[in-house]
């Protein structure tokens, strides 16, 4: 270990160059997280509007074929975790079944 090394508890490394790279990557991760949250909220709001519009026009609360399409898309792109993610996204927009 170098005598010039300074512990960086937030990065888990004492190597300053590695710590800088980790901090930069974490900044990008934080930006992505912020965007995901904003997109999640926008999607949930739009989905709620779709449901309300459909019910107000005499339609059903849910369109199960549409939900199956979304589940399949996420499963195909992301695997089993994609299915779980899609279920959470769908619930955020329509509420619990």
């Amino acid at each position: 270990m170098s005598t010039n090394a300074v512990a960086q508890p937030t990065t888990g490394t004492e190597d300053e160059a590695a710590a800088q790279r980790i901090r930069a990557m974490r900044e990008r991760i934080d930006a992505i997280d912020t965007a995901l949250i904003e997109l999640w909220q926008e999607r949930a709001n739009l989905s709620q509007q779709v449901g309300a519009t459909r019910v107000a026009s005499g339609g059903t609360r849910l369109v199960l074929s549409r939900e199956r399409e979304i589940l399949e898309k996420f499963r195909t792109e992301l695997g089993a975790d994609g299915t779980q993610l899609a279920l959470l996204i769908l619930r955020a927009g329509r509420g619990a079944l």
Side-chain angles (χ1 to χ4, degrees):
M1 178 166 62
S2 168
T3 58
N4 294 335
V6 176
Q8 298 291 327
T10 60
T11 63
T13 183
E14 294 180 3
D15 180 279
E16 185 55 33
Q20 286 179 345
R21 288 192 306 273
I22 289 168
R23 284 192 291 272
M25 288 182 279
R26 285 184 174 169
E27 284 181 24
R28 180 63 182 138
I29 288 169
D30 290 345
I32 291 168
D33 288 348
T34 297
L36 286 170
I37 290 166
E38 290 171 358
L39 289 168
W40 178 286
Q41 293 169 332
E42 180 182 3
R43 189 195 189 289
N45 182 273
L46 287 168
S47 182
Q48 291 164 5
Q49 290 179 47
V50 167
T53 302
R54 189 172 43 247
V55 168
S57 68
T60 60
R61 178 173 166 252
L62 300 173
V63 176
L64 293 178
S65 61
R66 171 72 175 147
E67 290 204 359
R68 281 193 298 273
E69 289 174 15
I70 294 165
L71 287 166
E72 181 61 20
K73 178 180 182 178
F74 276 74
R75 186 197 63 74
T76 299
E77 295 295 325
L78 302 173
D81 287 343
T83 302
Q84 294 303 310
L85 178 59
L87 287 168
L88 290 170
I89 290 169
L90 290 169
R91 186 173 71 195
R94 60 147 156 76
L97 291 177

